[in-house]
Amino acid sequence: MQHRPEMVSSQPLPIPDANKRKKKKKARAGEDYTGTFTGLYKLTNELLGEGSYAKVQGCVSLQSGRDYAVKIIEKNNGHSRSRVFREVETLYQCQGNKNILELIEFFEDEDRFYLVFEKLRGGSILSHRRDRK
């Protein structure tokens, strides 16, 4: 017969400084980081396009300084939330496809939806189509 050592009940070990709170790191963009569109991006005066329910405007990332395009959809136009979410979901599923514009981030606040896209150069697709005819 093999001799087994007697099992002793385990006790929690004291952890030094366990009651001290760790400081959160500050966001690089500034102290007003809120995780909102306005906390992460600054709109430019560049209007890239306008449609019946949304407009596309230039914006700059406060963290990296890179230029992006943001589609701003006003909630008061009766545009359903589920339709916007369906658009966002479809764009996320198409990530990595070189023929489809890349959605970077999505935000929602009280009044608007914000879809942040990579910013492409070269004008609108509509003007390219007109020029080819």
Side-chain angles (χ1 to χ4, degrees):
M1 232 180 172
Q2 217 175 13
H3 177 31
R4 293 185 187 179
E6 187 175 318
M7 294 189 78
V8 180
S9 66
S10 64
Q11 296 293 322
L13 296 173
I15 300 172
D17 300 329
N19 294 330
K20 285 187 180 179
R21 296 180 97 190
K22 292 183 180 181
K23 290 184 180 180
K24 290 185 178 180
K25 292 181 183 179
K26 287 186 181 177
R28 288 184 217 164
E31 294 179 12
D32 65 339
Y33 171 75
T34 60
T36 62
F37 175 79
T38 55
L40 293 171
Y41 295 92
K42 181 180 179 195
L43 287 174
T44 66
N45 292 329
E46 184 181 19
L47 183 65
L48 301 170
E50 200 163 9
S52 59
Y53 69 91
K55 67 179 178 179
V56 179
Q57 202 169 333
C59 68
V60 177
S61 167
L62 296 175
Q63 291 180 325
S64 69
R66 288 188 61 190
D67 287 332
Y68 293 96
V70 59
K71 181 177 184 179
I72 303 169
I73 304 168
E74 297 287 336
K75 287 184 176 180
N76 62 4
N77 287 346
H79 202 69
S80 77
R81 204 163 183 254
S82 62
R83 185 173 173 187
V84 174
F85 286 156
R86 193 168 45 248
E87 179 178 350
V88 169
E89 185 179 340
T90 301
L91 288 163
Y92 270 123
Q93 289 173 351
C94 296
Q95 294 288 37
N97 186 323
K98 66 178 182 163
N99 297 315
I100 298 178
L101 191 63
E102 184 177 357
L103 177 66
I104 305 298
E105 289 187 278
F106 167 77
F107 298 93
E108 178 181 8
D109 67 18
E110 217 173 275
D111 303 314
R112 296 172 196 87
F113 299 101
Y114 301 90
L115 284 71
V116 180
F117 293 94
E118 63 181 320
K119 187 173 180 183
L120 301 178
R121 309 279 182 221
S124 72
I125 294 172
L126 183 58
S127 63
H128 283 286
R129 293 198 63 203
R130 272 192 292 226
D131 293 345
R132 284 185 13 197
K133 288 184 178 180

